[in-house]
């Protein structure tokens, strides 16, 4: 990996997830492609994986379930009741 | 937990469920009724189920809940009849990774039972379809507390959603002389190696392994997983001639012919008096003769695994049986296990890149063709890549094909784009 840190990738990924919230389900593969398009050979798949892991561990994003596992902002699923 | 239920299991009116108690076999209704006498929650669970049967309607709505940092492992169930049955308004299931080959000590079973009693409905399912341990009946709050408590004790959350699922294996060399590789070791290796893929659902759809020490478990592995890893051997079946002679003396030639040789799928084993002769070149390693004459015959010494791909009931294509991917792979050392892991990663990368949403890997291969798939994951085609032994291979070998017709394309069109797709997702940060 070149000068692109996992923190930077995590911020980029988060921006995509936030921008698409409520409009399009963003999947890990989408983030991989977007990061590859932006940074090319400077990063590898493992780096993007590490960035997603960081987002999940910090609770800034969660995995959604419907329509295939997607990466989403924390929310309440429609199915949930109290 | 004290029982403050007003309705006991004796009060429950469950005419349809009662029918499931009939017959000599174990009944989950019987078990749940016992539990209902201690837990009002379970009484309500049974009442909701009875109502489901009566109205032919499923009242559960499902999703997955994220335990902090994990993508899966908690299957949330919310009841549409939550007002009528408030104790099952939230009735979630926690999935845990089971010990390899389901071998427990009493201490670990006690931990599971205690967590289930303290936080859940006191119902354990050993084991789910994928082999994992299921603890049932948690509400939102207690589910997180239970997951935390279990993880403190060393348990880990199992797979769910579109990721790698918990890996089940047979007991293998721990207790079975038929085993052709160490199923337990490979289970533990793959689980550790791919723990990220297990906890973080990031594939087009789920991906299941099943590890079987020999072909005795092949039907299970081939129909119920995306990647069966089945033990086999590539040298000759081991024959103890004296034990064969003793077996024939005990059972008689006719019996041996009727029950062993005539049932060999490729008719490659023959009895001549008190001697067995095997045409090993034509043996498909089905295990039948070895199972019947297990003191006299044994798998060969050069053992490893056969790797298959693409089984399981799928959304679009229905029931699928896996097809051969690698006829033989050694599986003795860490380097062998690494080689398997590398291949698995290549498969995930290719399928991850080109697979459709909710498309199991078998369906994906069906759509793009085995040739394209092999190309994509870097495996050479092999005549043994067949759906059934002695059937047509998928691969067309030019040297065996009839002369081309005029105008026939030289090469099948590749259904995948040559270049990786560029994402259409708007990119925000720069
Ligand atoms: S699948 Fe084969 S090795 Fe595994 S327990 Fe069954 S007979 Fe033994
Ligand atoms: S293992 Fe199966 S195929 Fe091979 S000789 Fe025995 S019965 Fe025949």
């Amino acid at each position: 990996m070149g000068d692109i840190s996992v923190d930077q990738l995590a911020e980029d990924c988060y921006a995509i997830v936030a921008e698409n919230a409520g409009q399009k389900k963003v999947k890990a593969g989408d983030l991989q492609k977007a990061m590859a398009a932006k940074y090319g050979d400077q990063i590898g798949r493992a780096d993007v994986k590490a960035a997603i892991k960081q987002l999940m561990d910090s609770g800034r994003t969660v995995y959604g379930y419907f329509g295939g596992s997607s990466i989403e902002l924390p929310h309440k699923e429609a199915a949930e009741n109290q | 937990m004290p029982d403050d239920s007003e309705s006991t299991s004796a009060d429950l009116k469950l005419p349809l469920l009662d029918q499931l108690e009939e017959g000599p076999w174990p009944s989950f209704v019987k078990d749940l009724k016992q539990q209902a006498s201690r837990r009002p929650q379970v009484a309500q669970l049974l009442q909701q189920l009875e109502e489901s049967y009566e109205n032919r309607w499923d009242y559960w709505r499902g999703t997955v809940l994220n335990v902090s940092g994990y993508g899966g492992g908690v299957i949330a169930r919310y009841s549409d009849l939550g007002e009528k049955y408030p104790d099952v308004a939230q009735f979630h299931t926690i999935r845990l990774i089971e010990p390899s080959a389901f071998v427990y000590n009493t201490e670990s079973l006690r931990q599971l039972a205690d967590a289930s009693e303290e936080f859940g409905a006191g119902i354990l399912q050993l084991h789910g379809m994928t082999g994992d341990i299921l603890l049932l009946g948690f509400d939102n709050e207690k589910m997180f507390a239970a997951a935390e408590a279990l993880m403190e004790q060393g348990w880990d959350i199992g797979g769910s959603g579109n990721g790698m699922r918990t890996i089940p294996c047979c007991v293998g060399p721990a207790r079975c002389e038929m085993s052709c590789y160490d199923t337990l070791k490979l289970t533990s290796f793959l689980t550790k190696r791919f723990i990220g893929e297990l906890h973080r659902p990031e594939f087009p759809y789920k991906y299941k392994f099943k590890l079987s020490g020999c072909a005795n478990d092949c039907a299970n592995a081939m129909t119920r997983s995306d990647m069966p890893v089945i033990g086999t051997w590539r040298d000759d079946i081991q024959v103890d001639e004296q034990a064969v002679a003793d077996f024939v003396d005990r059972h008689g030639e006719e019996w041996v012919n009727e029950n062993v040789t005539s049932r060999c799928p490729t008719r490659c084993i023959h009895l001549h008096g008190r001697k067995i002769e095997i045409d090993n070149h034509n043996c498909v390693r089905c295990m039948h003769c070895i199972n019947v004459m297990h003191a006299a015959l044994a798998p060969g010494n050069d053992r490893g695994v056969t790797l298959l791909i693409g089984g399981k009931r799928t959304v679009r294509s229905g029931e699928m049986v896996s097809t051969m991917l690698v006829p033989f792979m050694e599986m003795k050392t860490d380097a062998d296990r690494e080689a398997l892991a590398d291949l698995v990663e290549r498969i995930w990368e290719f399928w991850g890149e080109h697979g459709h949403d909710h498309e199991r890997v078998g369906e994906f291969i069906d759509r793009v063709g085995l040739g394209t798939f092999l190309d994509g994951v870097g495996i050479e085609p092999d005549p043994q890549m067949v759906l059934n032994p002695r059937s047509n291979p998928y691969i067309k070998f030019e040297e065996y094909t009839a002369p081309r017709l005029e105008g026939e394309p030289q090469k099948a069109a590749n259904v995948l784009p040559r270049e990786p797709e560029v994402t259409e997702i708007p990119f925000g940060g720069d």
Side-chain angles (χ1 to χ4, degrees), chain B residues 214-216 218 222 230-235 237 263-269 278-290 306 324 327 384 386 388-391:
Chain B
C214 77
N216 277 334
C218 71
M222 287 170 68
I230 301 176
T232 191
W233 64 96
R234 60 181 167 182
D235 55 348
I237 290 181
R263 297 195 183 182
C264 167
T266 53
R267 303 282 190 275
C268 68
I269 180 167
I278 302 172
D279 169 11
N280 280 281
H281 184 67
N282 277 309
C283 165
V284 288
R285 279 73 175 156
C286 78
M287 295 296 293
H288 172 68
C289 59
I290 298 171
T306 292
M324 174 75 75
Q384 294 180 69
V386 292
N388 304 294
R390 303 296 189 271
S391 76

Side-chain angles (χ1 to χ4, degrees), chain A residues 16 19-20 27-28 30 34-35 38 45 49 52-53 56-57 62-63 65-69 77-82, chain B residues 61-64 66 69 71 78-79 89-90 162 197 200-202 349 357-358 421 423 425-430:
Chain A
I16 294 177
E19 194 165 324
N20 285 277
K27 307 207 165 173
D30 298 327
M35 293 301 108
K38 182 171 187 194
R45 294 181 72 85
K49 271 189 176 184
I52 297 171
K53 181 173 187 302
M56 291 295 164
D57 288 348
V62 296
Y63 286 100
Y65 180 60
F66 292 104
S69 296
E77 291 280 5
E80 290 184 47
N81 60 30
Q82 290 305 306
Chain B
R61 273 175 297 143
T63 180
V64 291
N66 286 227
Y78 295 97
S79 170
Q90 298 166 359
N162 298 344
E197 283 74 5
R200 300 168 209 289
E202 296 181 356
E349 204 169 322
D357 230 12
H358 278 91
E421 274 172 47
T423 181
I425 292 180
F427 181 70
D430 211 356

